[in-house]
Amino acid sequence: MKGIGALPLADWINAGVDWLSKFTGFFNSITAFFQAIIDAIQWVFDLLPEWLFIIVILALTYWVKKDQKKLGFMIFEVLGLLLIWNLGYWRDMTQTLTLVLSSSLIAIIIGIPLGIWMAKSNKAEVVIKPILDFMQTLPAFVYLIPAVAFFGIGMVPGVLASVIFAMPPTVRMTSLGIRQVPEGLIEAADSFGSTSWQKLIGLQLPMAKTTIMSGVNQTMMLGLSMVVIASMIGALGLGTQVYFAVGRNDAGAGFAAGIAVVIVAIILDRITQSFNQTYR
Amino acid sequence: MTEKVKVKHLTKIFGKQISQAKELLKQGKNKEEILAQTGCTVGVSDANFSINEGEIFVVMGLSGSGKSTLIRMINRLINSTDGDVEVDGQSVMDLDKEGLRKLRQDKFGMVFQNFALFPHLTVLQNAEYGLALKKVDQETQEKKAKDALNLVGLNGYDQQYPDQLSGGMQQRVGLARAIANDAEILLMDEAFSALDPLYRKEMQDLLLQIQEKMHKTVIFIGHDLNEALKLGDRIMIMRDGVVQQIGDPEDILTHPANDYVERFIEGVDRTQVLTASSVMAKAQVVNIAKAGPRVALRRMRENDISSIYVVDNENRFVGFADAHDVSDLIKKNSKDLRSVLNTDVPKTHADTPINDLINDISKTPIPYIVVDDDDHLLGIILRGTVLAAISGEEVSA
């Protein structure tokens, strides 16, 4: 291999990035779009006083869990959120939530249609699958470098990095859920003369709902796991607190912020999980 | 009778080298040979038949005989390799995607072996399914669906989900879904095969009951011959994708077209199908207008029998005379045959199923006589012939 010399892969990619940075207008509009979603969510969180936020979370839990067991979990929510409030991480917590929710929202908006396409077309599946693998396994730092170049510093590249890393489960699970609808039911729908749109809306998506929801749940969890990395490019939130604690070598503060992340994760996970109990 | 569905040279070959397989099929090669040479499976081979409006047409065959493929080509869930299907004169193969959907919505209702109910919809929503696709207004949808559910005996289950119902009840929903749609043609693919025997009989009776009211054209796929004989106005027997025989139940039982059909009908419960006319034997008669006791007695001796049936000039049944009574009459030198006639003879009609007679046949000492509406004597039913017919021996009347 010595004779050939190293391929100038890095140079090619740099050339590509340089070329892409000509499209500033395009990237600016994406930035503006992401920023609008982020601002809207953060605006709502800033509007709610702490106690009202806790009540809203409890009401939401009560509503989604309907007839499942929920009392213990609701006590946990109250204690966990009070702890975060007490530790002084409330604003950081809402910022983290904003990051996770906006990236999940974008991942769902893009991911579900992509998953549907992947389920309906084998060709699409062949193309999309390796891209998803790429998105999930490429170390996040690698695409953070160009992300900063295109989208600047702040929440937007953080959200973008989270979307890239967290979207694949939604796409995969949507596709899987639709492909898993029994052939016999598809045949029944066909025999009564349904269009593909009627089949999708009336049969495939409702039947795939639980599978899709577990994909969304995973997307949220993966989004949460990105908060520390996102904080390195200026996304605010609990991740920033952890990052600072690492910088100051302050294990106590690190753990405190880390535990707050865990509390948020558990609440998000349990609430989204209760969506996938039944398909009715 | 109008032809509702006409199947012309319908052929289906599964596999890659279809044109080659088609060529071999034309040369008269059978399923195994074609599979060996081309790797293609012949699903259905050159099927030709038509189905009349309002009849129950049963397609029979073992698994792999191509019957499920056949029924799916009728509404084009499977595209045929060759041939065509006409529904009310409209070629199904000529239709574009939109036309095909329209045809399926308007004409067909399909009932599946594994029910294929939508688990996320309530019983009522399942029954409304076909109408919802047609974008019928909600009120009509609900009314028609409820009517259909009532018809299949499922009122009060509207808001249940399919998995809360037993198998038999689930298939009632399946049937209601097909009927609510106002389908003219019901395609029933092994509709009752997955049910246990008791439910199955119930559903068969239900189908017959519905059919009496609605006169749908029903294409029923099955592998249970007893079921076919009970339901079918006509039966078609298939083997390896080839049609073996088409005929009414009695026809199939009494005149099987070939060895395969003959083996197929072995062990079937014939009592449901065979009627008095197919088991009756010729009766020895004397005409009372022409013959007296001596003629009657001589005829009994000639035929080695101990009793004889007496008819009038027009072959109407008059009575039944015993040899012992007749010879007494001769000894008394009386010519009045009428005085010894026994008129209390069990009677039946030609189209009575022997199922209805079989208990009495074994009890009555005098054979049943078969008469038409005007009391003309058509024949008599002997216990021996009945047993022979039930066990499947050729009946020689």
Side-chain angles (χ1 to χ4, degrees), chain A residues 184-185 187-195 198 202-203 206-207 279-280, chain B residues 72 77 101 104-105 110 112 116-120 129 133 161 163 177 181:
Chain A
L185 294 184
E187 195 178 45
D190 280 333
S191 79
F192 284 94
S194 57
T195 60
Q198 283 170 327
L203 176 62
M207 293 282 297
Y279 38 58
R280 284 172 198 158
Chain B
R72 279 169 176 71
L77 283 176
R101 278 203 317 100
R104 287 176 181 166
Q105 285 183 354
M110 197 158 179
F112 297 87
L117 298 178
F118 303 117
H120 62 295
Y129 187 75
L133 293 181
Y161 285 90
D163 61 8
R177 179 173 65 181
N181 197 27

Side-chain angles (χ1 to χ4, degrees), chain B residues 103-139:
Chain B
L103 183 82
R104 287 176 181 166
Q105 285 183 354
D106 295 340
K107 301 256 160 133
F108 289 111
M110 197 158 179
V111 185
F112 297 87
Q113 178 173 14
N114 48 11
F115 321 138
L117 298 178
F118 303 117
H120 62 295
L121 301 180
T122 61
V123 165
L124 183 66
Q125 289 169 327
N126 264 288
E128 288 172 345
Y129 187 75
L131 298 160
L133 293 181
K134 284 197 256 190
K135 302 201 172 70
V136 177
D137 64 278
Q138 185 58 44
E139 213 172 296

Side-chain angles (χ1 to χ4, degrees), chain A residues 103 107 161-170 215 218-220 222-223 226:
Chain A
S103 60
S162 302
V163 168
I164 293 175
F165 181 64
M167 189 173 69
T170 295
Q218 283 186 36
T219 291
M220 283 193 169
L222 290 178
M226 283 294 283

Side-chain angles (χ1 to χ4, degrees), chain B residues 138-334:
Chain B
Q138 185 58 44
E139 213 172 296
T140 322
Q141 271 185 38
E142 198 172 320
K143 193 191 163 302
K144 284 192 172 174
K146 282 195 167 160
D147 286 349
L149 286 170
N150 277 340
L151 196 65
V152 299
L154 272 185
N155 25 357
Y157 290 93
D158 292 4
Q159 298 310 319
Q160 305 255 338
Y161 285 90
D163 61 8
Q164 294 170 300
L165 305 180
S166 69
M169 282 157 93
Q170 288 190 31
Q171 196 55 305
R172 281 169 199 257
V173 181
L175 193 54
R177 179 173 65 181
I179 292 170
N181 197 27
D182 287 331
E184 295 162 26
I185 305 166
L186 294 184
L187 301 174
M188 305 189 68
D189 181 26
E190 303 245 19
F192 305 150
S193 299
L195 304 176
D196 48 36
L198 204 67
Y199 269 131
R200 194 156 166 188
K201 190 180 168 303
E202 235 172 64
M203 291 301 287
Q204 292 165 354
D205 293 338
L206 177 68
L207 179 64
L208 289 173
Q209 206 182 308
I210 290 172
Q211 179 64 0
E212 221 159 87
K213 286 183 211 160
M214 315 197 62
H215 308 293
K216 305 271 186 198
T217 304
V218 182
I219 305 174
F220 192 101
I221 302 284
H223 61 247
D224 176 356
L225 190 57
N226 286 322
E227 184 172 74
L229 294 171
K230 180 172 174 183
L231 298 175
D233 292 312
R234 284 192 304 148
I235 298 172
M236 176 166 104
I237 295 182
M238 288 183 76
R239 177 200 194 185
D240 290 347
V242 181
V243 174
Q244 304 289 314
Q245 186 174 5
I246 302 175
D248 63 36
E250 203 153 340
D251 203 23
I252 300 253
L253 282 189
T254 47
H255 303 104
N258 54 34
D259 287 356
Y260 181 75
V261 176
E262 207 162 291
R263 266 187 291 137
F264 207 93
I265 61 178
E266 261 173 29
V268 72
D269 180 5
R270 286 152 192 272
T271 54
Q272 287 182 13
V273 182
L274 294 180
T275 56
S277 66
S278 56
V279 295
M280 68 187 179
K282 196 168 180 290
Q284 291 301 327
V285 295
V286 285
N287 185 343
I288 197 159
K290 291 177 187 158
R294 284 170 199 282
V295 178
L297 194 61
R298 196 176 67 229
R299 181 122 350 130
M300 283 188 254
R301 282 208 190 106
E302 277 167 13
N303 290 292
D304 217 7
I305 50 178
S306 62
S307 57
I308 198 156
Y309 294 85
V310 181
V311 294
D312 67 7
N313 257 336
E314 283 163 67
N315 198 32
R316 270 198 290 263
F317 179 70
V318 180
F320 170 79
D322 187 78
H324 189 70
D325 295 339
V326 176
S327 55
D328 277 356
L329 206 60
I330 295 167
K331 276 178 202 156
K332 281 192 253 167
N333 221 356
S334 163

Side-chain angles (χ1 to χ4, degrees), chain A:
Chain A
M1 294 302 282
K2 265 186 185 165
I4 311 169
L7 282 174
L9 192 59
D11 292 341
W12 292 343
I13 289 171
N14 278 334
V17 170
D18 283 346
W19 179 75
L20 276 175
S21 36
K22 285 180 197 160
F23 303 95
T24 341
F26 171 70
F27 290 112
N28 284 347
S29 55
I30 291 185
T31 310
F33 174 66
F34 279 29
Q35 193 66 55
I37 294 177
I38 293 162
D39 289 347
I41 295 175
Q42 187 64 51
W43 181 76
V44 173
F45 286 147
D46 286 347
L47 212 61
L48 292 175
E50 288 84 346
W51 58 271
L52 187 57
F53 182 93
I54 296 178
I55 290 173
V56 169
I57 292 288
L58 289 177
L60 184 67
T61 309
Y62 189 84
W63 177 67
V64 297
K65 285 205 173 274
K66 284 179 199 120
D67 28 53
Q68 305 163 34
K69 260 167 65 179
K70 54 195 163 236
L71 187 65
F73 176 57
M74 286 167 79
I75 293 170
F76 169 84
E77 285 179 329
V78 174
L79 295 179
L81 291 171
L82 284 177
L83 177 67
I84 293 173
W85 192 5
N86 173 266
L87 291 174
Y89 289 140
W90 191 267
R91 183 99 214 286
D92 298 298
M93 186 269 290
T94 59
Q95 283 168 334
T96 293
L97 217 47
T98 302
L99 180 79
V100 172
L101 291 183
S102 46
S103 60
S104 302
L105 188 69
I106 293 164
I108 291 168
I109 292 173
I110 302 172
I112 290 182
L114 212 56
I116 293 170
W117 187 38
M118 187 167 146
K120 296 233 162 186
S121 150
N122 285 332
K123 276 183 197 155
E125 192 185 23
V126 169
V127 176
I128 294 172
K129 254 194 172 165
I131 297 179
L132 294 180
D133 294 335
F134 205 74
M135 286 162 74
Q136 272 188 305
T137 50
L138 194 70
F141 292 101
V142 175
Y143 48 83
L144 282 182
I145 307 165
V148 171
F150 297 135
F151 303 100
I153 282 182
M155 282 293 239
V156 173
V159 167
L160 186 88
S162 302
V163 168
I164 293 175
F165 181 64
M167 189 173 69
T170 295
V171 182
R172 279 189 220 274
M173 295 302 245
T174 302
S175 168
L176 179 72
I178 290 175
R179 282 178 187 261
Q180 269 176 348
V181 175
E183 196 53 44
L185 294 184
I186 301 290
E187 195 178 45
D190 280 333
S191 79
F192 284 94
S194 57
T195 60
S196 4
W197 180 251
Q198 283 170 327
K199 247 186 315 195
L200 181 69
I201 298 299
L203 176 62
Q204 289 166 315
L205 285 181
M207 293 282 297
K209 199 180 106 191
T210 52
T211 316
I212 295 175
M213 277 314 295
S214 65
V216 169
N217 172 276
Q218 283 186 36
T219 291
M220 283 193 169
M221 295 301 105
L222 290 178
L224 258 178
S225 72
M226 283 294 283
V227 292
V228 176
I229 292 174
S231 71
M232 293 175 185
I233 46 168
L236 300 172
L238 292 169
T240 320
Q241 299 299 330
V242 177
Y243 186 46
F244 286 173
V246 172
R248 289 196 306 267
N249 199 13
D250 182 348
F255 262 99
I259 286 169
V261 173
V262 172
I263 291 169
V264 174
I266 292 175
I267 293 174
L268 274 182
D269 178 58
R270 298 299 186 277
I271 290 178
T272 50
Q273 255 184 16
S274 30
F275 280 119
N276 39 2
Q277 296 303 317
T278 64
Y279 38 58
R280 284 172 198 158

